[in-house]
Amino acid sequence: MENLNDYSYAAWGLIQTWGLKLVYAVVILIIGLWIIKRIDKLVRKTLGKREIEPSLSSFLISLLDITLKILLVITIASMLGIQMTSFIAILGAAGLAVGMALSGTLQNFAGSVIILIFKPFKVGDFIEAQGHMGTVKEIQIFNTILNTPDNKQVIIPNGGLATGSMTNYSAMPTRRVDMKFGIGYSDDIDKARDILKRLLEEDERVLKDPAPFVAVQELGDSSVNFVVRPWVEAANYWGLFFDYTEKVKKSFDAEGISIPFPQRDVHLFNEK
């Protein structure tokens, strides 16, 4: 009976010592998470009013959210009576171990910082990198999210984006459209050139400066090949490419100019 009473007193002592602390810790955790959420919304709204780039805004909000949550955990640990010196030492050792295990993740974080500082691309740009092509939807702390032309989502680690080669199709306001058309060896070269130039002059999307370039590129195996290189605004690139190709086919057909398919002359010799 005496042992039971001793256990009861000990249990009551633990409840008095740790019960209220645990309750306070849970309350502080709930309130802290609510406050952090409100701060995130406030910061997001403030950055939006100041017209901060979406890529930088997303990165800063994510970094702020992680930092505040770490501070909240440290605060709750100190409330529970955990010695902060020992806690920081344990946290440092754990951080070192995690850092070694997640070296690739830290590289991606460093890549995010480099991308946001040097800005090789931003949200809304159409890029090609790491074997993928698409429009940048979001730049996160560790990854960049692309939307492909066929509406697939691609997540690319920022470490590779920051250190590898990348093509930004939206960086310049204008682009050159490179096209190639072949005519038969028996067709009139001058007439074909005039048709190609006329179609360019009739299209308002083709820029006058730099002037479009039309010339015979090569004498191929089956055709005389023209190269056509007009300049357009970046947004008109694919529209002109498809429309012009269709117009050339229709115009060549109407003017009696052939577009030959690959062919080869075969000569047979009889051996006696």
Side-chain angles (χ1 to χ4, degrees), residues 131-158:
H132 300 283
M133 180 183 296
T135 302
V136 179
K137 179 182 178 183
E138 187 177 354
I139 302 175
Q140 299 180 342
I141 294 181
F142 303 114
N143 306 301
T144 292
I145 299 178
L146 301 183
N147 277 355
T148 63
D150 56 345
N151 203 31
K152 291 186 292 187
Q153 189 177 88
V154 179
I155 300 175
I156 303 178
N158 286 332

Side-chain angles (χ1 to χ4, degrees), residues 13-263:
L14 289 174
I15 292 174
Q16 288 181 322
T17 303
W18 291 99
L20 290 178
K21 289 184 178 181
L22 290 173
V23 172
Y24 289 149
V26 171
V27 172
I28 293 299
L29 177 63
I30 295 173
I31 295 175
L33 291 175
W34 181 82
I35 292 175
I36 290 173
K37 187 176 181 179
R38 297 289 297 178
I39 292 175
D40 288 347
K41 290 183 177 180
L42 180 61
V43 172
R44 188 183 300 275
K45 186 176 180 181
T46 303
L47 294 176
K49 288 182 178 179
R50 296 189 178 184
E51 297 182 353
I52 303 297
E53 285 189 10
S55 55
L56 180 59
S57 175
S58 176
F59 178 83
L60 291 176
I61 292 172
S62 299
L63 186 61
L64 176 64
D65 183 73
I66 292 175
T67 302
L68 291 177
K69 287 179 179 178
I70 291 175
L71 292 176
L72 178 62
V73 171
I74 293 176
T75 301
I76 293 174
S78 64
M79 288 183 57
L80 293 175
I82 299 176
Q83 293 295 327
M84 294 309 298
T85 304
S86 302
F87 180 77
I88 292 174
I90 294 173
L91 186 64
L96 179 61
V98 172
M100 295 178 64
L102 301 178
S103 58
T105 302
L106 296 178
Q107 183 181 3
N108 292 332
F109 176 78
S112 303
V113 176
I114 293 174
I115 290 172
L116 291 171
I117 292 176
F118 294 101
K119 298 180 180 179
F121 60 86
K122 61 182 183 299
V123 172
D125 285 354
F126 189 86
I127 67 171
E128 181 179 3
Q130 304 295 304
H132 300 283
M133 180 183 296
T135 302
V136 179
K137 179 182 178 183
E138 187 177 354
I139 302 175
Q140 299 180 342
I141 294 181
F142 303 114
N143 306 301
T144 292
I145 299 178
L146 301 183
N147 277 355
T148 63
D150 56 345
N151 203 31
K152 291 186 292 187
Q153 189 177 88
V154 179
I155 300 175
I156 303 178
N158 286 332
L161 279 177
T163 58
S165 60
M166 184 269 300
T167 302
N168 188 343
Y169 293 98
S170 303
M172 307 301 293
T174 60
R175 289 183 62 187
R176 190 183 73 185
V177 185
D178 291 356
M179 294 175 284
K180 181 178 177 180
F181 301 98
I183 65 172
Y185 271 92
S186 60
D187 293 316
D188 189 337
I189 291 179
D190 295 329
K191 184 178 181 181
R193 183 189 291 109
D194 291 339
I195 293 173
L196 294 172
K197 288 184 176 181
R198 174 172 56 81
L199 292 176
L200 291 176
E201 293 171 356
E202 293 175 352
D203 199 314
E204 296 180 354
R205 293 170 294 186
V206 177
L207 301 178
K208 306 301 181 183
D209 186 22
F213 179 78
V214 179
V216 175
Q217 182 185 33
E218 63 178 348
L219 302 178
D221 294 335
S222 306
S223 61
V224 178
N225 297 321
F226 280 88
V227 60
V228 181
R229 294 174 178 173
W231 287 83
V232 297
E233 294 182 0
N236 294 328
Y237 181 91
W238 288 112
L240 178 76
F241 180 88
F242 294 125
D243 292 344
Y244 188 80
T245 302
E246 181 179 344
K247 290 177 181 178
V248 168
K249 176 61 170 68
K250 291 180 178 179
S251 298
F252 278 3
D253 289 345
E255 296 292 339
I257 295 177
S258 63
I259 301 178
F261 51 84
Q263 53 188 302

